[in-house]
Amino acid sequence: MTRETLLKIDGISKSYPGVKANEDVSFSIGVGEVHALLGENGAGKSTLVKMIYGLVKPDEGTLTFRGKPFAPSEPSEARAAGVAMVFQHFSLFEALNVAENVALGMENPPPMRELAARIRAVSEEYGLPLDPARMVGDLSAGERQRVEIIRCLLQDPKLLIMDEPTSVLTPQEVEILFKTLRQLSSEGTAILYISHKLEEIRTLCDGATILRRGKVVGSCVPRETTAREMAELMVGATLTPPERRAGAKGEVVLGVTDLSAASPIPFGTTLKGISFTVARGEVLGIAGVAGNGQDELLLALSGELRVASDKIRINGRAAGDLGPGERRRAGLVAAPEDRYGHAAAPDMSLVENALLTGAIRRNLTHRGFIDWAATRGFAEEVIQTYDVRTPGSHVAARALSGGNLQKFLIGRELDQSPEVIVINQPTWGVDAAAAAAIRQAILNRAAEGAGVVVISQDLDELLEIADMFAVLNEGRLTKPRPVEGLTIDQIGLMMGGAHGMEVAHHVEA
Amino acid sequence: MLRLEKRPIPSRFWLYATPVVAVLLTMIAGGLLFALLGKNPATVIKTIFWDPLFGEFAWYLRGQLLVKAGPLILIAIGLSLGFRAGIWNIGAEGQYIMGAICGAGVGLALYPTESRLIFPVMILAGALGGWAWAMIPAILKTRFNTNEILVSLMLVYVAETILAKASTGFLRNPEGAGFPGSRSFSGSSFPAASNPELIAGSGLHWGGVFALLMGVAAYILLQRHILGFQIKLAGQAPRAARFHGVKPERLVLLCMGLSGALAGLAGMFEVTGPAGKISIDFNVGYGFTAIIVAFLGRLNPLGIVLAGFIMALTYVGGEMAATNLGLPSAAIQVFQGMLLFFLLGVDVLTNFRIRTTLLGVK
């Protein structure tokens, strides 16, 4: 199938501090093509489309749109060139009616009566029933999306970007939307369709580009590719887990039984009936999309969030009602996700930050008085052992780069001869080399007999280091299963409706 | 264009330069103010900063310095611990009054008994009075999440009302011919309860001794003790403090209680010493001025001791300027307020640097 090229993306790169959102991304979209952009959360899809829509400027690379160089500096410029976008989150005023909302998004809105007539015409033409006089506040999510789509269609776009459009729709509404999109496509409007719902993409899209960690890892024709193959591309080739150590498991060091707790974080997720055990030498990997209770689970395990004493057992001892200090004494160390302000005090020196969690297990205080010499020794030991790049231990934590600080913070916990280690997002925003070092250090501690819980959104990472695998979903934890022999289909099944790979199991079913 | 840019590491230079620059800026702006009032700025500045130390009456005024600096330092030390932890006790003035009333009350209840135990018991009562008054905003904060700034400040006015009641009612001198004010604590009338000058002419009384001791103790607490570390941690990174294992409620109770107790002590030493008795206008604003002292001293105990003396200088010198040069006392208060203003303003430079950007150039 040969189409005239509409948009050519060539070597686009974009970095944010500590993370490469896009790296040398190239692909092109033909006129009238429905092109899918596939990838897990954080793969760089949103950054890429924001660059096409003029919200973000690329660091490197060029865009060519309709044969001309294209570098929109703001969305109105992109719109003028013929690019329209429907966001995942709508920007509509509930107290205004449909026509008024549409008018607000236009540079030079026509008189209201004329606009209402045009809205009616477009909505009939594309089979998107919508009454221009209705209040947006009374509309369903699907109808609101139609307002956004019609707002775009009135600009007569050449390229329509849709960010996860079906996440708010009922199956019937999806049918209607797809019909509309196919009609647009047949009329020559290209559609860049962002999703991680594979089955949808197979029915709708002509081509697909798959992103992983900011890079293009593959492209395919979805109709000729199975959902499973696409999922493997999305998640990475390391779906076959590495050889597991065959060593016999020790006794259970961390037991969590029916742990439920309301979130102390505003709009947080309530933990519901979480149960698992971790044995000596075992690594439990907990996957899940962000905001499904990861932060709360860490708080409950670290002791910042207290629960009934028998809900959590460390080394057989009831510890649910213990605070962070007492849990450290009992043998549990924890590393929260947020480095600046939670795991570390940004304005304090590395020495002081070493004291922050090391005071108890490293005996850095005597009758409450701080042994600064020993504390400095501990900080310097961590800096040396974990190759933390810093001018010295006197430097404020915030002066270190994200990856270096993370190495220091993980090292600080691992060098306390812990019996239980709980880490949330061990390698988030950390470069590949440092990430590998951190994972190896965690595995080393496990080999020495510590029980480890790693909470992460990086499936690759979990499959690489975990022995057992579970998924946190809306505050509930699935039953942990051995990673060995775990297939991508089963992972998809565990992730349930909350993650895009749920369709992977349809292939098997 | 001027632009503020966050420093990667707080500047040590500006940390120490800030108080000096602030004092200089205060002299300049204060000088302008005095000039507008029709006084010679140089004379006024000299009267405030030079005369108390090296002027004609320095032999007397130097002693007055310690008398004024003692309570300022004692209160500011307590406040600084809370300020470090992000707990804002603004009502030290009220705790100071309540400490004085409780300390004096215990003494007066035992009048005219003579025992060496009386004064220590009064010290204890003074500390307890200030502590209890500070516990009100502390408990309201931990229980109902009220704002400790407002509650502690409002309680100052309640304390002032109680003070008026004490001096005209329940603590009034029965032999005072109906005049407001309590019995005198001066050496001759009630020796067991008096807080005399320890070295003649030095201005040093037990309050000064306590102030210096507390300065050293607070320094050790903040530098060497895990509790001091927790106080600093809670102020800088509250979530990291919880992760470390600090219970925020406990810290609020501790810091409010400590600052209240020290303010109460200051009040008790003042009423039994320099003031000599409970009177309606017993409090002269040490509790508020101590806030400036705490910040002028960079919330560092040793800095506070130094800042206490500088502030005492503006008090003593200010009084001189008021009597000798006819300057309104409000002008002196504005002058002291300017010091805090410039201090906080210049303080920005510790964590930020000024970058000049030409238009169009980044």
Side-chain angles (χ1 to χ4, degrees):
Chain A
M1 193 163 20
T2 50
R3 293 175 196 266
E4 197 186 327
T5 302
L6 176 76
L7 174 69
K8 190 164 161 9
I9 295 167
D10 195 12
I12 289 281
S13 293
K14 175 76 195 176
S15 298
Y16 292 109
V19 63
K20 276 194 169 160
N22 284 134
E23 204 179 334
D24 196 20
V25 173
S26 302
F27 65 93
S28 54
I29 303 169
V31 172
E33 182 187 345
V34 183
H35 193 98
L37 194 55
L38 259 169
E40 284 200 293
N41 289 313
K45 296 168 295 185
S46 299
T47 308
L48 186 64
V49 296
K50 278 181 186 163
M51 288 190 273
I52 300 172
Y53 196 56
L55 285 165
V56 173
K57 267 194 193 136
D59 294 338
E60 276 170 54
T62 54
L63 300 172
T64 313
F65 189 65
R66 300 166 85 181
K68 284 183 220 130
F70 181 59
S73 57
E74 52 183 57
S76 64
E77 220 172 290
R79 280 198 296 267
V83 178
M85 180 158 174
V86 176
F87 289 90
Q88 202 174 352
H89 303 284
F90 309 136
S91 44
L92 297 172
F93 293 93
E94 298 197 342
L96 298 179
N97 70 29
V98 171
E100 285 163 340
N101 265 290
V102 170
L104 277 175
M106 300 175 96
E107 313 280 331
N108 300 303
M112 208 45 83
R113 189 174 306 177
E114 198 181 309
L115 184 64
R118 278 178 62 190
I119 290 171
R120 213 168 271 123
V122 171
S123 76
E124 273 166 28
E125 190 185 344
Y126 290 99
L128 295 170
L130 195 63
D131 179 355
R134 273 185 74 191
M135 283 290 172
V136 165
D138 299 333
L139 302 182
S140 73
E143 287 171 314
R144 289 179 196 208
Q145 187 181 55
R146 281 178 211 161
V147 180
E148 294 271 16
I149 294 172
I150 284 173
R151 187 192 268 177
C152 291
L153 293 184
L154 286 173
Q155 301 164 22
D156 195 18
K158 297 291 169 278
L159 174 67
L160 179 62
I161 303 170
M162 304 208 72
D163 191 0
E164 309 250 349
T166 55
S167 54
V168 294
L169 300 185
T170 64
Q172 291 77 12
E173 286 173 328
V174 171
E175 278 296 304
I176 296 171
L177 174 69
F178 280 15
K179 225 180 253 171
T180 307
L181 295 182
R182 284 197 193 99
Q183 186 183 342
L184 278 167
S185 158
S186 67
E187 290 169 11
T189 303
I191 292 157
L192 184 57
Y193 190 89
I194 301 165
S195 182
H196 49 212
K197 297 192 178 174
L198 305 173
E199 215 50 45
E200 238 171 45
I201 284 167
R202 291 191 66 224
T203 51
L204 181 71
C205 300
D206 306 312
T209 298
I210 297 148
L211 286 182
R212 187 155 59 90
R213 295 186 182 171
K215 289 184 199 161
V216 175
V217 290
S219 57
C220 62
V221 177
R223 288 192 188 93
E224 298 160 8
T225 315
T226 64
R228 184 191 178 128
E229 283 167 327
M230 285 195 280
E232 284 192 341
L233 278 170
M234 223 164 100
V235 178
T238 45
L239 269 181
T240 356
E243 285 292 310
R244 301 311 314 170
R245 302 170 305 282
K249 279 185 204 163
E251 74 273 27
V252 168
V253 277
L254 175 67
V256 175
T257 322
D258 193 26
L259 167 71
S260 298
S263 174
I265 306 162
F267 307 108
T269 308
T270 303
L271 298 177
K272 300 172 195 112
I274 288 177
S275 299
F276 64 87
T277 60
V278 181
R280 287 190 181 282
E282 186 178 67
V283 180
L284 170 67
I286 296 182
V289 177
N292 271 294
Q294 285 91 340
D295 292 339
E296 290 81 0
L297 181 59
L298 183 111
L299 293 178
L301 292 175
S302 75
E304 291 164 84
L305 178 62
R306 279 164 223 237
V307 291
S309 68
D310 58 342
K311 298 290 181 190
I312 296 172
R313 289 184 172 272
I314 301 170
N315 249 331
R317 180 181 159 204
D321 56 344
L322 300 184
E326 292 155 308
R327 290 199 197 184
R328 284 187 195 110
R329 196 164 280 126
L332 180 144
V333 299
E337 173 185 1
D338 184 6
R339 298 189 273 267
Y340 300 97
H342 191 188
D347 290 328
M348 285 189 164
S349 72
L350 294 181
V351 176
E352 287 168 296
N353 273 297
L355 183 70
L356 186 83
T357 66
I360 290 169
R361 292 193 71 77
R362 294 290 299 230
N363 273 325
L364 300 175
T365 60
H366 305 295
R367 292 190 192 154
F369 285 92
I370 301 161
D371 184 345
W372 281 116
T375 308
R376 186 165 300 113
F378 174 44
E380 267 152 22
E381 172 196 314
V382 172
I383 290 170
Q384 196 132 61
T385 316
Y386 293 89
D387 187 29
V388 181
R389 310 279 161 81
T390 165
S393 57
H394 63 278
V395 172
R398 75 168 138 102
L400 265 64
S401 72
N404 264 315
L405 183 57
Q406 184 70 352
K407 282 197 277 186
F408 180 81
L409 296 175
I410 299 283
R412 176 183 74 180
E413 304 307 331
L414 296 184
D415 269 19
Q416 296 181 32
S417 47
E419 298 187 64
V420 184
I421 302 165
V422 183
I423 302 179
N424 190 8
Q425 297 277 61
T427 60
W428 172 75
V430 172
D431 66 83
I438 288 171
R439 290 189 195 119
Q440 192 55 52
I442 294 170
L443 285 177
N444 291 348
R445 281 292 167 278
E448 286 164 27
V452 182
V453 179
V454 174
I455 305 168
S456 176
Q457 284 157 51
D458 186 341
L459 268 181
D460 290 1
E461 172 169 277
L462 292 177
L463 295 174
E464 189 183 319
I465 64 173
D467 304 290
M468 300 292 283
F469 181 89
V471 176
L472 197 56
N473 197 344
E474 287 177 10
R476 288 190 179 83
L477 191 73
T478 62
K479 199 169 153 10
R481 301 174 61 161
V483 167
E484 209 167 50
L486 200 64
T487 65
I488 188 68
D489 303 337
Q490 288 164 332
I491 292 176
L493 203 63
M494 289 169 88
M495 291 203 146
H499 197 268
M501 287 189 299
E502 77 270 29
V503 284
H505 69 263
H506 295 320
V507 185
E508 214 175 29
Chain B
M1 276 247 306
L2 289 177
R3 201 161 52 87
L4 283 177
E5 186 182 274
K6 187 150 194 186
R7 295 176 190 272
I9 299 175
S11 160
R12 286 204 88 72
F13 171 76
W14 280 106
L15 187 66
Y16 295 111
T18 298
V20 180
V21 175
V23 169
L24 290 177
L25 285 174
T26 307
M27 285 185 181
I28 294 168
L32 272 173
L33 173 78
F34 299 140
L36 286 174
L37 288 169
K39 312 289 174 194
N40 180 351
T43 320
V44 181
I45 300 287
K46 178 175 166 289
T47 309
I48 295 176
F49 285 100
W50 182 265
D51 287 355
L53 289 173
F54 309 107
E56 195 184 339
F57 302 102
W59 56 271
Y60 168 74
L61 295 176
R62 278 186 212 156
Q64 282 300 300
L65 275 185
L66 196 54
V67 168
K68 306 277 185 202
L72 286 176
I73 294 169
L74 199 51
I75 300 170
I77 294 277
L79 291 181
S80 71
L81 295 178
F83 292 170
R84 281 277 183 116
I87 298 158
W88 306 101
N89 179 7
I90 303 299
E93 185 80 358
Q95 293 139 24
Y96 170 86
I97 292 171
M98 295 312 284
I101 292 177
C102 290
V106 167
L108 292 171
L110 297 169
Y111 177 85
T113 322
E114 283 297 321
S115 160
R116 296 171 75 173
L117 290 175
I118 289 180
F119 195 63
V121 171
M122 286 169 70
I123 293 177
L124 214 64
L128 270 174
W131 174 83
W133 206 242
M135 274 300 111
I136 300 172
I139 290 172
L140 286 176
K141 182 179 175 67
T142 52
R143 281 287 155 79
F144 305 109
N145 202 21
T146 58
N147 184 320
E148 77 276 18
I149 299 177
L150 291 176
V151 178
S152 63
L153 180 62
M154 291 304 154
L155 282 170
V156 172
Y157 306 108
V158 179
E160 280 177 346
T161 309
I162 295 175
L163 174 68
K165 199 72 198 157
S167 53
T168 56
F170 60 90
L171 290 183
R172 194 180 61 187
N173 183 359
E175 293 153 22
F179 284 108
S182 74
R183 268 182 214 284
S184 170
F185 289 95
S186 70
S188 53
S189 55
F190 191 4
S194 81
N195 174 21
E197 202 173 21
L198 296 173
I199 305 163
S202 68
L204 183 75
H205 58 74
W206 282 110
V209 174
F210 261 74
L212 298 177
L213 282 179
M214 286 301 157
V216 174
Y219 183 78
I220 294 171
L221 176 77
L222 285 173
Q223 295 298 318
R224 316 273 329 189
H225 199 275
I226 193 78
L227 187 61
F229 174 75
Q230 290 173 344
I231 285 172
K232 290 187 277 185
L233 187 61
Q236 291 188 14
R239 278 191 309 145
R242 275 197 290 278
F243 177 55
H244 166 76
V246 174
K247 285 184 186 163
E249 296 81 23
R250 265 190 54 196
L251 210 60
V252 169
L253 294 178
L254 183 94
C255 288
M256 290 295 286
L258 229 105
S259 55
L262 293 191
L265 274 180
M268 181 271 157
F269 287 125
E270 190 69 15
V271 74
T272 51
K277 63 175 182 182
I278 291 280
S279 57
I280 292 180
D281 52 359
F282 156 73
N283 60 311
V284 292
Y286 285 141
F288 292 120
T289 314
I291 298 170
I292 308 178
V293 171
F295 279 102
L296 189 63
R298 315 264 60 201
L299 304 181
N300 174 323
L302 304 186
I304 286 170
V305 171
L306 202 67
F309 280 102
I310 292 176
M311 204 41 120
L313 204 58
T314 67
Y315 258 102
V316 176
E319 267 169 42
M320 288 271 293
T323 45
N324 294 359
L325 306 173
L327 214 58
S329 63
I332 300 298
Q333 282 168 19
V334 170
F335 187 73
Q336 289 174 343
M338 275 180 191
L339 192 54
L340 182 64
F341 174 82
F342 282 118
L343 193 72
L344 298 178
V346 179
D347 201 26
V348 170
L349 294 173
T350 308
N351 278 309
F352 292 87
R353 60 177 147 226
I354 295 175
R355 275 287 161 92
T356 49
T357 48
L358 296 170
L359 286 176
V361 181
K362 255 200 174 169

